């Protein structure tokens, strides 16, 4: 059962250069999420692992693009990246979290890169 008061996406649009996903919600909010940000924060097991200790930092995705987006039921999308990653299922809730908590997610990612001597 879904929460009827939760924001619901009304539009998903990939930019012409394939580097940005714009997500519009029924509450009037609209967010632009870079392909790089979506790729490195993918909810896939490859990135998140099956436990917090298994989380991986994914470097070298600065120039990644979005090839296509497929719906997953009525609750999420699968994003296919040109780096051949497509195993993450991005729920509407997670997309909204990425948009509203960008500084936490992106800042944490940049800190992890620095700590591990990796680059974007």
């Amino acid at each position: 059962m879904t929460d009827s008061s939760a924001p619901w996406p009304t539009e998903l649009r990939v930019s012409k250069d394939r580097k940005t996903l714009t997500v519009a919600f029924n509450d009037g909010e609209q967010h632009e999420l870079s392909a790089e940000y979506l790729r490195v924060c993918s909810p896939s097991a490859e990135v998140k692992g099956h436990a917090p200790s298994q989380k991986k930092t994914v470097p070298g995705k600065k120039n990644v693009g979005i090839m296509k987006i497929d719906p997953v039921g009525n609750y999420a999308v699968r994003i296919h990246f040109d780096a051949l990653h497509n195993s993450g299922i991005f729920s509407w809730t997670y997309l909204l979290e990425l948009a509203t908590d960008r500084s936490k997610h992106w800042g944490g990612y940049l800190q992890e890169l620095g700590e591990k001597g990796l680059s974007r």
Side-chain angles (χ1 to χ4, degrees):
M1 181 172 221
T2 59
D3 177 0
S4 62
S5 66
W8 191 260
T10 56
E11 182 180 17
L12 294 155
R13 186 175 2 112
V14 177
S15 63
K16 288 183 186 199
D17 68 359
R18 317 303 263 167
K19 302 295 183 193
T20 306
L21 174 66
T22 300
V23 184
F25 289 92
N26 62 350
D27 62 358
E29 285 191 46
Q30 183 170 305
H31 303 278
E32 291 186 353
L33 304 170
S34 74
E36 177 188 15
Y37 178 52
L38 291 166
R39 173 60 183 92
V40 302
C41 292
S42 171
S44 67
E46 174 196 339
V47 176
K48 299 290 185 195
H50 296 285
S53 64
Q54 296 177 336
K55 184 179 182 301
K56 295 195 170 88
T57 305
V58 182
K61 300 303 177 193
K62 186 175 184 177
N63 297 311
V64 74
I66 298 169
M67 291 186 347
K68 70 177 185 169
I69 298 175
D70 291 328
V72 176
N74 63 356
Y75 69 95
V77 290
R78 178 184 309 272
I79 301 175
H80 299 260
F81 296 95
D82 60 9
L84 304 180
H85 175 78
N86 68 356
S87 59
I89 305 294
F90 292 79
S91 70
W92 308 141
T93 303
Y94 187 58
L95 283 172
L96 184 60
E97 177 187 326
L98 288 175
T100 57
D101 291 338
R102 186 185 317 249
S103 61
K104 176 183 97 176
H105 292 287
W106 185 248
Y109 171 69
L110 294 177
Q111 183 176 344
E112 288 172 18
L113 284 177
E115 290 169 356
K116 295 177 180 180
L118 302 171
S119 64
R120 292 177 48 210

